[in-house]
Amino acid sequence: MDQLNWNRAFERTPEKFTEGLHTVLEALPEQEERTMKLHKKLRRTIVLAAAAVMVLGGAVFAASEFGYIRSDAFNTYDLKDAAAVENVIAGETIDGITADAKFLETYSNGFTMTKATVDGVEARSEENPEEIHYQELWLHYCRENASLAVTVEPDMGYSVSDRSVEVPYGDVALYTLVQDYKCVNEDYEMTPEDRAAETDGTLIFSYDNSLTEPELYQQRYVCWTEDGMHYSIDSMDSLTELDELVQMAQELIDSK
């Protein structure tokens, strides 16, 4: 399979792509719903634009003339509980995710799984017009007001951002990334500082026409590849430090 090259930043998300969010979000309390939508909608946009690995499922995303990644609603479904997650892993029902995949319902720092989804994804690289379809396991965790996501997907050979930092752990190489982004209305006019930050990759823009004022967010992210599968843990609420995400990654690696 060709390696996907996502080194070009994605353009703004078309309005028609925002209709694929899971129906389960409609039943969530307002604050949790907003947090999860931001997490699921923007996380993949950020990482792809930063030329890191793909990490997000569960929504639909921007496309460009060079390549795209978006949700495949026909191959997306929710999992009831931790037992359902374990059954998916043990039964190897997701192509490329084997029974060796690692999963923890609760981490030692108190983060506990609250949502689980098998996300269908479709993507196309710049070099190859053939569309690729696959699924990933997306797990949402909470601890008091903090939330984060753990994703497991087939190893597609994605490149890592030049801005990432390698953290060796035994035979596994962890890669960390801290990325700032600004969510704005499509009528927002960038300042010279905005353009400079976007050019050097330190700031990623996303678009939400419901906003009246720009909103700033920061993604903290760690990823690694093990046993032919790609793992990532990331937080977007600035309530969990990067070092703690690394510790969670190490705990997951040691879990089997």
Side-chain angles (χ1 to χ4, degrees):
M1 180 178 295
D2 293 340
Q3 177 173 331
L4 297 182
N5 181 1
W6 298 106
N7 289 324
R8 297 179 184 269
F10 276 22
E11 299 172 355
R12 67 188 60 184
T13 307
E15 290 291 336
K16 66 179 180 180
F17 284 169
T18 61
E19 300 173 357
L21 291 170
H22 298 154
T23 56
V24 68
L25 294 176
E26 303 302 326
L28 294 175
E30 181 177 354
Q31 184 58 43
E32 184 179 0
E33 176 181 351
R34 177 170 176 76
T35 300
M36 286 185 66
K37 283 184 177 180
L38 282 168
H39 203 164
K40 295 172 79 68
K41 178 180 178 182
L42 299 177
R43 188 161 50 115
R44 182 179 278 154
T45 302
I46 295 165
V47 174
L48 289 178
V53 291
M54 293 189 290
V55 297
L56 174 66
V60 283
F61 300 93
S64 77
E65 62 181 305
F66 304 105
Y68 59 77
I69 179 170
R70 60 195 181 201
S71 70
D72 177 2
F74 292 105
N75 290 299
T76 295
Y77 56 92
D78 297 313
L79 298 175
K80 181 179 179 181
D81 50 25
V85 175
E86 292 171 348
N87 287 338
V88 164
I89 293 174
E92 298 187 345
T93 60
I94 302 176
D95 189 26
I97 298 182
T98 72
D100 293 325
K102 297 176 179 178
F103 163 68
L104 291 173
E105 182 179 5
T106 301
Y107 287 81
S108 60
N109 59 7
F111 273 103
T112 300
M113 192 195 79
T114 58
K115 304 287 180 183
T117 303
V118 173
D119 277 323
V121 182
E122 54 187 32
R124 188 179 71 194
S125 70
E126 296 178 13
E127 294 82 6
N128 190 342
E130 181 180 357
E131 193 171 70
I132 297 170
H133 293 259
Y134 65 96
Q135 290 176 307
E136 62 186 12
L137 186 59
W138 188 87
L139 309 169
H140 185 256
Y141 291 78
C142 289
R143 181 186 63 190
E144 297 180 347
N145 294 327
S147 65
L148 55 80
V150 177
T151 305
V152 187
E153 62 184 341
D155 179 17
M156 307 283 283
Y158 305 120
S159 60
V160 182
S161 170
D162 292 338
R163 297 180 53 244
S164 64
V165 177
E166 182 176 351
V167 180
Y169 185 67
D171 296 332
V172 178
L174 304 174
Y175 294 92
T176 65
L177 179 69
V178 176
Q179 178 66 58
D180 294 321
Y181 65 100
K182 181 182 284 190
C183 191
V184 299
N185 188 287
E186 67 176 353
D187 295 327
Y188 175 78
E189 294 186 7
M190 290 189 187
T191 66
E193 292 77 12
D194 287 338
R195 296 188 183 281
E198 185 182 43
T199 298
D200 64 25
T202 57
L203 182 65
I204 304 297
F205 277 84
S206 186
Y207 295 84
D208 183 345
N209 284 337
S210 68
L211 297 179
T212 57
E213 297 292 336
E215 295 183 357
L216 297 174
Y217 300 93
Q218 185 178 80
Q219 181 201 37
R220 297 166 185 173
Y221 170 76
V222 56
C223 71
W224 69 99
T225 299
E226 187 179 11
D227 297 327
M229 290 167 283
H230 180 76
Y231 295 80
S232 64
I233 304 176
D234 78 284
S235 171
M236 296 184 66
D237 56 18
S238 299
L239 297 177
T240 308
E241 296 297 329
L242 185 60
D243 287 348
E244 191 170 10
L245 298 185
V246 171
Q247 292 170 4
M248 292 178 67
Q250 294 169 344
E251 183 177 351
L252 186 57
I253 291 170
D254 292 339
S255 64
K256 280 190 178 181

